[in-house]
Amino acid sequence: MALKALDIYKMLPKKNCKECGYPTCLTFAMKLAAGKADADTCPYLDTATKELLRGATRPPIQLVKLGVGERSVPVGDEIVLFRHEKAFYHPPGIFFSVSDLWEKERIVAAATRVMEEVFPRVGENLRWNGLAIRNESGNAPTFGKAVAAVEEVAEFPEVLVSESPGALEAGLAHCGNYHPVIHAATEANHGEVAALAKRFGCPLVVRAGDLAGLAGLAKACTDLGVRNLILDPAPANLGEFIARSTGIRKKALDRSGPDLGHPVYLDATAFAPEEAAIVAGILKYAGVIVTSVLPPGTARMALTLRQNVYTDPQKPIQMTPGLYRVGEPGPGSPVLATVNFSLTYFTLLGYLEASRIPCHLLIVDTEGFSVLTAVAAGKFSERLVKDSLERFQVAGQVKHRTLIIPGYAAPLSGRIEEVTGWRVLVGPRDAADIGEFLEKEWIAKGLPAP
Ligand code: SF4
């Protein structure tokens, strides 16, 4: 169970000596309860109390940073079992898998794709996170060469996949300060592999086929001084992955299995269809997902699903309100008003671009609500439309005074005309019909009208 600040305060020596760096013991207790202080910094606590406090105040799932620099990926540090309870905060890193048996050119091509590929979607640039390099040759120098080939182009996180400490060491020798993830420490090799992880400062994946085994290995590696762990539950099928990953999350959150409080690893390439494994990994708590070098369709699916699941359900993704240009609009181009819910904006934008009719798009601030919700909640109102027209000086951009509003805002059309003085055209309810609507109601009728 997590301790509250007051419970922690009762356990402190209450000297108010500031040796911990905080002005009073109470401040220190509050910081500890928030997970922002370390029990070790109070020199007056005995070892048992420190141990108790450490267990009760650390985040239920440890935050692990994969890689270094701009492309590093934080995973873990989640606090709920279900997204609707709060939110999922740290999207899983997705790593393309390459083999040390591949030709150098093929490895470099995969690395270059991870470096360069970007999918813009609803205002974000979606990217791959890194490469997992597999030691399929079973040979240490060959593995070292494959890692070196990646290092030539890579500035992203890596996973070195081998159970051979010798091969891992040969790979790590080429990684400089990039601290790749090491996969994996098992019952058989964990002493040597944990020593490597500690020496090179790398996150370490521990692999075992049941939760007790995972917890035992995690504890053993922590005792050997490895700070950042990831758990591979070694599932034989997707059902096992879901069951074990959910078990890990539950035990970590209710703190009944503190040694399971680490992000989870999934090798999606081990399952068919791989797409199902990727979906299971994203939905069921994986922090690291290794995939094959994905074809475009699966690639978009994976990145889109990850983005959707890891947005805060209580905070719709919003566009900045303003007047946006679609194509090269002129003074006679249509003006369309809509809400600042990102999905509405990007969906409408896609159809407007496809129509090839340049226009002005007025985005009003409905606090991220969709059209239907904003109209029902009074967030999309005649007053807001008037203020937005003025604030973004729309009248100065066009020679007409005709405003197209969304179909679901039809009940407001009269009031908008009254308050703004603009003529209102009620557009379609479905953004997909906007091109046809503009052809019929704007182009064919020879608008702009005065
Ligand atoms: Fe209190 Fe310990 Fe901090 Fe001193 S070092 S103020 S005793 S918490």
Side-chain angles (χ1 to χ4, degrees), residues 9-218:
Y9 180 65
K10 285 178 191 160
M11 298 162 76
L12 297 179
K14 293 185 264 306
K15 290 175 184 275
N16 292 321
C17 62
K18 304 182 188 175
E19 283 184 48
C20 56
Y22 296 98
T24 64
C25 297
L26 184 60
T27 325
F28 181 66
M30 287 160 67
K31 292 286 175 191
L32 266 181
K36 292 183 176 157
D38 186 341
D40 275 340
T41 50
C42 173
Y44 302 105
L45 289 172
D46 59 56
T47 314
T49 312
K50 275 185 191 167
E51 195 55 41
L52 198 157
L53 285 173
R54 246 185 249 122
T57 57
R58 69 165 200 204
I61 298 169
Q62 188 189 15
L63 182 79
V64 175
K65 197 168 107 176
L66 312 175
V68 294
E70 246 182 55
R71 295 286 298 261
S72 66
V73 189
V75 296
D77 197 15
E78 302 293 345
I79 54 171
V80 291
L81 190 60
F82 300 110
R83 176 177 175 265
H84 63 259
E85 292 175 291
K86 184 90 176 142
F88 292 167
Y89 292 102
H90 297 107
I94 301 182
F95 291 74
F96 283 170
S97 167
V98 298
S99 166
D100 66 351
L101 290 174
W102 291 6
E103 297 290 324
K104 181 180 175 186
E105 292 68 29
R106 191 174 167 198
I107 295 175
V108 169
T112 307
R113 189 171 159 203
V114 171
M115 276 302 289
E116 294 177 357
E117 196 160 79
V118 179
F119 293 90
R121 184 171 182 271
V122 290
E124 283 184 33
N125 287 325
L126 310 182
R127 310 185 76 155
W128 309 110
N129 299 101
L131 278 191
I133 307 143
R134 291 182 194 276
N135 178 215
E136 289 179 338
S137 68
N139 176 285
T142 306
F143 189 56
K145 272 191 202 156
V147 176
V150 174
E151 288 297 321
E152 279 178 25
V153 285
E155 278 177 33
F156 49 63
E158 293 155 40
V159 185
L160 305 192
V161 184
S162 177
E163 288 186 11
S164 154
L168 287 168
E169 190 165 6
L172 286 163
H174 295 280
C175 293
N177 290 325
Y178 276 96
H179 307 305
V181 177
I182 294 175
H183 181 288
T186 61
E187 192 55 48
N189 70 7
H190 71 275
E192 283 175 277
V193 175
L196 281 176
K198 191 175 171 198
R199 188 166 125 217
F200 287 91
C202 299
L204 174 63
V205 182
V206 299
R207 179 174 164 87
D210 60 74
L211 300 200
L214 271 177
L217 263 183

Side-chain angles (χ1 to χ4, degrees), residues 323 333-338 360-364 380-382 384-386 388-389 394 398 400-406 413 416-417 420-427 437 442 447:
L323 188 66
S333 300
V335 180
L336 299 96
T338 193
H360 302 276
L361 191 49
L362 176 64
I363 301 299
V364 303
F380 189 94
S381 67
E382 63 278 13
L384 177 68
V385 173
K386 179 177 190 289
S388 303
L389 284 168
V394 184
V398 288
H400 62 84
R401 295 290 179 267
T402 300
L403 181 68
I404 301 168
I405 64 170
S413 61
I416 293 175
E417 282 196 341
T420 63
W422 284 54
R423 185 156 71 98
V424 168
L425 286 181
V426 177
F437 173 87
W442 195 276
L447 286 173

Side-chain angles (χ1 to χ4, degrees), residues 227-292:
R227 296 181 70 86
N228 294 306
L229 293 176
I230 298 166
L231 308 177
D232 179 351
N237 54 56
L238 276 186
E240 267 186 16
F241 169 74
I242 292 169
R244 290 176 189 173
S245 184
T246 306
I248 290 168
R249 174 67 68 102
K250 280 183 176 169
K251 283 177 176 293
L253 291 182
D254 69 14
R255 296 184 191 260
S256 62
D259 293 318
L260 295 171
H262 307 281
V264 167
Y265 180 97
L266 171 65
D267 178 2
T269 65
F271 304 101
E274 188 180 351
E275 290 84 351
I278 295 169
V279 170
I282 292 171
L283 296 180
K284 287 295 170 189
Y285 316 128
V288 175
I289 302 176
V290 173
T291 72
S292 54

